């Protein structure tokens, strides 16, 4: 049985072709994405909840002005992983991202574990971002003198004092509508959804730069002192607070590797995927640090713990009232593009798992005209909408980060394993100083996992148990690798 669990894929190709580009019906995914499209895909996945929501909460509750250091720590962790993703993407240019990489290096059981956690990274994180979207939507409506009932804009449950409590609300209606509209767009096709995403990325990055430049003139440097507030607990200010904030803002970086899930729709994956992955991470890090500096310099960091911290900071300065409209519109567009990219990525993970026999054959079907994994897209959209309707942001965010960090550990370890087991494979991009870079990538991810709370580990254990039940109940018996 152990040999079966450790069975690995060996039928992938490097620069000569792409394995698995066709579905069971012989229909291929369209190759329409170039380096700019892939970079926009990565930026679209990353910029959103980090700048518009998580920054304020991390500063107010954990790190103070030192949230800048938290962003840098999380970025360093992601940079190691980004290099590993880039090598894997050129070596195994298949949709499936971490799942496909783990299958080729760590074996089937580890691949399923990683793939199941990627449902957290893409599907559940889209729900979390959709919940954040509602906060700015309510702010925009209030700015226009309109209001929606609280019962239709809040989650029916909340996490308070480490317990789930009932709030009395019905469900989060705006988040559900957003998810269903974007699901329809992804159903139509990658070209249409990618075009919309690229347009949104250009617009929201422009708006963010305007906010940074305009707000910088009103920054009060005295608000940055003390830069590291004295510790008030193991996770409140001080270095402990900085590290805890790093686990929170790590959620803001989730998505930079979403470019690798579209490998089979890239025109030249060997060249374009490393460009898209590394460029999107670099651009987002610069914007994050600049925005965090502006927010903590406009108002005291203790006042940033709201559902719309950017609006809160801008509204504190009458001279910046004209920016409020831009902030609200930019936040709505930014958060929308994150949800869009996640809905693009998650069905393609299911598609590859279905082709491998880990999920029923229905998951590997492509639409005959749109050439999209249409059934997966509908399943993903329905699941995301359900979670966004019921659960609040804080319940979803940490769980997403944990699943993603575990996937990152597998990718960093996988590069080293494949360097030893298949040194003959052509690599158009190689991780520099792989022994050091990959090891630091694994250690930095484990360090962030160390700072997660015990109840998050409990939720992660329950999620893993559900995944193992599905694997041993279906995937283990239907795996195409062992049948072949």
């Amino acid at each position: 049985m152990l040999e079966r669990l450790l069975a690995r894929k060996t039928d992938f190709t490097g620069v000569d072709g792409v394995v698995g580009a066709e579905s069971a019906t012989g229909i291929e995914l369209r190759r329409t994405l170039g380096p700019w499209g892939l970079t926009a895909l990565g930026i679209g996945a990353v910029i959103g909840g980090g700048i518009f929501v998580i920054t304020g909460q991390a500063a107010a509750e954990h790190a103070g002005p030192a949230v800048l250091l938290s962003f840098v720590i999380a970025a360093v962790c992601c940079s190691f992983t980004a290099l590993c993703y880039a090598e894997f993407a050129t070596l195994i240019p298949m949709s499936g991202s971490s799942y496909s990489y783990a299958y080729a290096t760590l074996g089937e059981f580890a691949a399923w574990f990683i793939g199941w956690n990627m449902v957290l990274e893409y599907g559940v994180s889209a729900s979390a971002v959709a919940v954040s979207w509602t906060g700015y939507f309510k702010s925009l409506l209030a700015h226009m003198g309109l209001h929606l009932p609280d019962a239709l804009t809040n989650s029916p449950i909340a996490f308070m004092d480490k317990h789930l409590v009932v709030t009395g609300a019905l469900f989060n209606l705006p988040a559900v509508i957003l998810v269903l509209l974007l699901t329809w767009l992804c159903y139509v096709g990658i070209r249409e959804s990618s075009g919309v995403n690229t347009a949104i990325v250009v617009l929201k990055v422009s708006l963010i730069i305007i906010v940074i430049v305009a707000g910088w003139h009103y920054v009060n440097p005295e608000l940055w002192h003390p830069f590291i507030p004295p510790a008030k607990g193991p996770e409140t200010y001080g270095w402990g607070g900085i590290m805890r904030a790093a686990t929170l803002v790590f959620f803001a970086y989730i998505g930079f590797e979403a470019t690798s899930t579209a490998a089979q729709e890239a025109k030249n994956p060997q060249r374009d995927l490393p460009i898209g992955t590394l460029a999107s991470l670099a651009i987002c890090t610069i914007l994050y640090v600049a925005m965090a500096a502006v927010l903590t310099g406009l108002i005291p960091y203790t006042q940033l713990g709201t559902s719309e911290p950017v609006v809160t900071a801008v509204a504190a300065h009458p001279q910046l009232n004209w920016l409020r409209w831009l902030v609200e519109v930019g936040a709505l567009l930014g958060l929308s593009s994150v949800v869009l990219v996640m809905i693009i990525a998650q069905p393609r993970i299911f598609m590859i798992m279905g082709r491998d026999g880990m999920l029923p054959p229905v998951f590997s079907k492509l639409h005959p005209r749109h050439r999209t994994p249409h059934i997966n897209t509908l399943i993903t959209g329905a699941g995301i909408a359900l979670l966004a309707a019921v659960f609040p942001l804080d319940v979803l965010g940490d769980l997403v980060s944990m699943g993603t960090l575990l996937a990152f550990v597998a990718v960093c370890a996988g590069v080293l394993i494949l360097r030893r087991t298949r040194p003959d494979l052509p690599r158009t991009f190689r991780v520099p100083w792989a022994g050091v870079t990959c090891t630091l990538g694994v250690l930095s991810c484990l360090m962030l996992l160390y700072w997660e709370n015990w109840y998050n580990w409990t939720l992660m254990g329950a999620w893993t148990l559900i995944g193992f039940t599905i694997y041993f109940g279906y995937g283990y018996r239907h795996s195409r690798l062992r049948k072949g």
Side-chain angles (χ1 to χ4, degrees), residues 295-317:
L295 292 183
T296 54
L298 288 177
I299 61 175
Y301 60 85
T302 54
Q303 300 177 16
L304 290 172
T306 65
S307 59
E308 56 281 335
V310 184
V311 170
T312 302
V314 169
H317 296 266

Side-chain angles (χ1 to χ4, degrees), residues 100-338:
S100 295
Y101 308 155
Y103 215 150
T105 57
L106 303 177
E108 182 179 278
F109 182 71
W112 171 264
F113 177 69
I114 297 303
W116 184 244
N117 284 331
M118 290 182 70
V119 178
L120 293 176
E121 181 179 355
Y122 294 122
V124 180
S125 68
S127 301
V129 176
V131 172
S132 303
W133 187 90
T134 298
Y136 278 92
F137 182 65
K138 291 170 60 178
S139 177
L140 179 61
L141 291 181
H143 201 177
M144 300 168 60
L146 303 174
H147 300 277
L148 290 176
D150 290 339
L152 296 178
T153 56
N154 291 315
S155 303
I157 59 176
F159 197 70
M160 299 177 62
D161 297 327
K162 300 182 181 180
H163 293 88
L164 290 176
V165 298
V166 178
T167 64
L170 296 177
F171 62 96
N172 192 330
L173 178 61
V176 172
I177 293 176
L178 171 70
V179 171
L180 295 181
L181 287 175
L182 294 179
T183 299
W184 170 81
L185 183 62
C186 293
Y187 183 95
V188 173
I190 185 70
R191 176 180 296 173
E192 290 76 7
S193 53
S194 176
V196 171
N197 176 69
T198 300
I200 292 177
V201 166
V202 171
L203 182 57
K204 73 178 180 181
V205 170
S206 300
L207 291 174
I208 290 169
I209 292 175
I210 291 174
V211 172
I212 293 173
V213 173
W216 192 263
H217 294 287
Y218 299 94
V219 164
N220 179 7
E222 293 182 1
L223 296 178
W224 292 333
H225 299 285
F227 184 69
I228 302 178
K232 295 183 179 180
E235 298 181 355
T236 305
Y237 309 133
W239 278 102
I242 292 173
M243 296 306 300
R244 176 59 180 140
T247 66
L248 289 178
V249 301
F250 176 82
F251 174 79
Y253 285 100
I254 291 176
F256 73 87
E257 78 293 353
T259 53
S260 63
T261 67
Q264 291 175 217
E265 289 148 291
K267 295 177 182 178
N268 186 350
Q270 286 79 11
R271 181 200 67 183
D272 297 343
L273 284 174
I275 295 175
T277 302
L278 295 173
S280 60
L281 178 61
I283 292 171
C284 293
T285 299
I286 294 171
L287 293 176
Y288 278 160
V289 172
M291 180 65 90
V294 169
L295 292 183
T296 54
L298 288 177
I299 61 175
Y301 60 85
T302 54
Q303 300 177 16
L304 290 172
T306 65
S307 59
E308 56 281 335
V310 184
V311 170
T312 302
V314 169
H317 296 266
Q319 306 93 326
L320 296 177
N321 279 339
W322 61 276
L323 265 182
R324 180 172 176 178
W325 286 100
L326 292 177
V327 168
E328 290 166 340
V329 173
L332 292 176
L333 291 176
L335 297 172
S336 298
S337 67
V338 173

Side-chain angles (χ1 to χ4, degrees), residues 239-464:
W239 278 102
I242 292 173
M243 296 306 300
R244 176 59 180 140
T247 66
L248 289 178
V249 301
F250 176 82
F251 174 79
Y253 285 100
I254 291 176
F256 73 87
E257 78 293 353
T259 53
S260 63
T261 67
Q264 291 175 217
E265 289 148 291
K267 295 177 182 178
N268 186 350
Q270 286 79 11
R271 181 200 67 183
D272 297 343
L273 284 174
I275 295 175
T277 302
L278 295 173
S280 60
L281 178 61
I283 292 171
C284 293
T285 299
I286 294 171
L287 293 176
Y288 278 160
V289 172
M291 180 65 90
V294 169
L295 292 183
T296 54
L298 288 177
I299 61 175
Y301 60 85
T302 54
Q303 300 177 16
L304 290 172
T306 65
S307 59
E308 56 281 335
V310 184
V311 170
T312 302
V314 169
H317 296 266
Q319 306 93 326
L320 296 177
N321 279 339
W322 61 276
L323 265 182
R324 180 172 176 178
W325 286 100
L326 292 177
V327 168
E328 290 166 340
V329 173
L332 292 176
L333 291 176
L335 297 172
S336 298
S337 67
V338 173
V339 178
L340 174 64
V341 172
M342 297 306 177
I343 298 177
I344 291 174
Q346 181 60 65
R348 284 149 182 83
I349 305 296
F350 284 149
M351 179 184 68
I352 296 299
M353 297 174 79
R355 291 178 184 175
D356 292 336
M358 310 289 274
L359 292 174
V362 68
F363 285 89
S364 62
K365 291 185 177 181
L366 296 180
H367 194 282
R369 181 163 64 91
H370 300 308
R371 297 188 184 181
T372 58
H374 57 301
I375 297 178
N376 287 343
T377 299
L378 295 177
I379 294 173
T380 298
I384 292 173
L386 177 62
L387 291 175
V390 176
F391 291 98
L393 176 63
D394 52 358
V395 173
L396 301 171
D398 280 328
L399 193 58
V400 172
S401 294
M402 294 182 71
T404 306
L405 284 167
L406 290 172
F408 285 5
V409 169
V411 170
C412 293
V415 168
L416 285 179
I417 293 173
L418 209 57
R419 287 282 186 96
R420 290 181 176 273
T421 59
R422 296 296 301 273
D424 57 304
L425 291 173
R427 293 167 169 85
T428 57
F429 177 86
R430 298 176 66 91
V431 174
W433 305 293
V436 176
T437 302
C438 297
T439 301
L440 290 176
V442 171
L443 293 177
S444 60
C445 290
L446 293 177
M447 177 188 65
L448 292 182
L449 282 169
Y450 171 79
W451 287 94
E452 291 286 357
N453 292 316
W454 66 268
Y455 52 88
N456 291 330
W457 282 104
T458 302
L459 293 174
M460 189 66 190
W463 177 261
T464 302

Side-chain angles (χ1 to χ4, degrees), residues 66-85:
V67 71
L68 276 70
L69 296 180
S70 301
F71 272 115
V72 172
I73 291 171
V76 170
C77 173
C78 291
S79 65
F80 295 135
T81 310
L83 293 171
C84 296
Y85 265 102

